[in-house]
Amino acid sequence: MDANDDGVGDIRGIINKLDYIASLGVDAIWVSPFFKSPMKDFGYDISDYRDVDPLFGSLDDLDTLIAQAHERNIKVMIDQVLSHTSDQHAWFEESRASRDNPKSDWYVWADAKPDGTAPNNWISIFGGCGWEWEPRRGQYYLHNFLKSQPDLNFHNPDVQNQILSEVEFWLERGVDGLRLDAINFCFHDAQLRDNPAKPPEQRQGRGFSEDNPYAFQYHYYNNTQPENLAFLQRLRRLIDRFPGAVTLGEISSEDSLATMAEYTANNERLHMAYSFELLVPELCAKHIRDTVENLEASLGEGWPCWSLSNHDVVRVMSRWGGGYNPVLGKTLHALVASLRGSVCYYQGEELGLTEADIAYEDLQDPYGITFWPNFKGRDGCRTPMPWQSDVKNAGFSQVKPWLPVSDAHAALAVDVQEADANSMLNFYRGFMAWRKDQPLLLGGEIRFASAPEGCLLFERFHKADERQSLWVAFNLTDKAAQIPIPATLSMLDGHGLQGASLDDQVLTLPPYTGAFMR
């Protein structure tokens, strides 16, 4: 919400909506970057790690947010961007000035090849060469994202020490945790070896489209280096000095599930991690099962985090539902919250918002502008939250907002759904309250069982006493399904999903719904 009428959501806007957030039953909020920034990538290009950009408010506002969230038993996680800074950060301005200044080795610099071309074949995820020429040094610098986002050189111990100091600043200020952006990008291959080519049949996007040249390589050398593990252990030791603080890492690698397991191993690195493995274009029960089972097989005692939408992908109602589909939307809420692990819900997901259609002239995302029209960028999922259906800009702002409010979203506004007992919003509230009373959903193990194509059947159980179990089933198809149940169970109610029936160990599920049994 925009609290000061400049068209942009801000910290005061979050404060104004804390009662609504508390009504959802969430344990924590993850706030995207609010640090000082030229906003080339909406705050993911930081020019000062220790201050709030005036666009979003002030340090005092953040202190108020933390205090008022804590009064409502809501924790506050902030988005830390550690692998790179803005090119307007004072560190980079000093580093780029010469080859012999105190910060000359704080970023990834390399000489040109004899013919003047870039040091190797690394590609930016936002398109084009991952290297940019700097005439003041007569060298190239690495940028895995925009050219205005130069990569820090974590092989330099001074960089690691400084970054840990930046993190400590916020922990001392009272934040409860860190969402760590692109955390596997901190280190690069010190030998600057070329990434090998990837054959066309293996090019698949996870957070990027398959026609992006980034998909044409195996990214063995520009990210996910073994040196990162020791740094994560240093980070964890810092975090552990602040009881209750947690870390959530964003992982995008050649084998994201294996990296998630590695980065959360032995409870000495990250507390939890998430990947883009469930943020795929199509709804597929087999893919969901395979993803969860593959992670569980390698994770051991580690703790996963799942999500179906975020600020980087098309909203799940458009990706998997083909549009607003409240029956499917309720089931997807229940599904992701029934897997072992924590769950992130993206703002507006509790309303069933679809991807907004943004005209080219309204685009803000440089990613979308570069790849238009094949890829329209991330603006369609980042549009303003609709609070009221019949007021200007759906109650987000009194002035023209930074992205337009979708008419379809206004019809699904909070005030409309709060007045409808059967709405997505009220289902979400009810289900999350019910889930809090189900210890097996909160902390039990998970084990899948055989189910018809397009369906999922799994058991949540206690390892110490497997007789304590809860069975969960979902039909993700557009036809009724019958699922044989491998035990004598009875139906549970109170979760809000409708229409299932159980007769003689055969569960009948209408399209796009689910059931819970014990």
Side-chain angles (χ1 to χ4, degrees), residues 450-453 455 457 473 475 477 479-485 501 503 505-510:
S450 177
E453 184 176 356
C455 297
L457 177 64
N475 175 14
T477 75
K479 297 180 175 60
Q482 290 191 321
I483 305 176
I485 303 300
S501 61
D503 182 32
Q505 291 187 223
V506 175
L507 176 69
T508 300
L509 286 175

Side-chain angles (χ1 to χ4, degrees), residues 2 62 132 171 185 193 208 223 232 309 377 385 412 414 451:
D2 171 20
L62 188 73
E132 182 71 11
L171 294 169
F185 280 77
R193 286 172 283 188
F208 51 89
N223 61 55
L232 291 179
S309 283
M385 179 80 175
L412 299 174
V414 170

Side-chain angles (χ1 to χ4, degrees), residues 344-355:
C344 283
Y345 285 105
Y346 182 48
Q347 59 90 7
E349 204 170 347
E350 76 276 17
L351 305 178
L353 297 188
T354 55
E355 186 81 352

Side-chain angles (χ1 to χ4, degrees), residues 53-130:
D53 195 283
L55 186 66
F56 302 125
S58 66
L59 282 169
D60 286 343
D61 291 334
L62 188 73
D63 292 341
T64 301
L65 171 62
I66 293 170
Q68 292 202 15
H70 288 174
E71 288 177 4
R72 295 164 174 82
N73 295 317
I74 299 171
K75 297 182 182 296
V76 177
M77 299 182 70
I78 65 170
D79 210 327
Q80 290 279 272
V81 187
L82 305 185
S83 71
H84 57 269
T85 71
S86 164
D87 61 357
Q88 296 182 31
H89 198 294
W91 302 342
F92 186 72
E93 291 178 344
E94 182 175 352
S95 186
R96 79 191 313 177
S98 68
R99 297 193 188 193
D100 57 4
N101 65 75
K103 291 186 172 57
S104 60
D105 194 36
W106 276 43
Y107 291 82
V108 183
W109 296 100
D111 292 330
K113 289 181 178 179
D115 62 0
T117 56
N120 60 28
N121 70 346
W122 297 352
I123 291 174
S124 161
I125 197 169
F126 287 169
C129 179

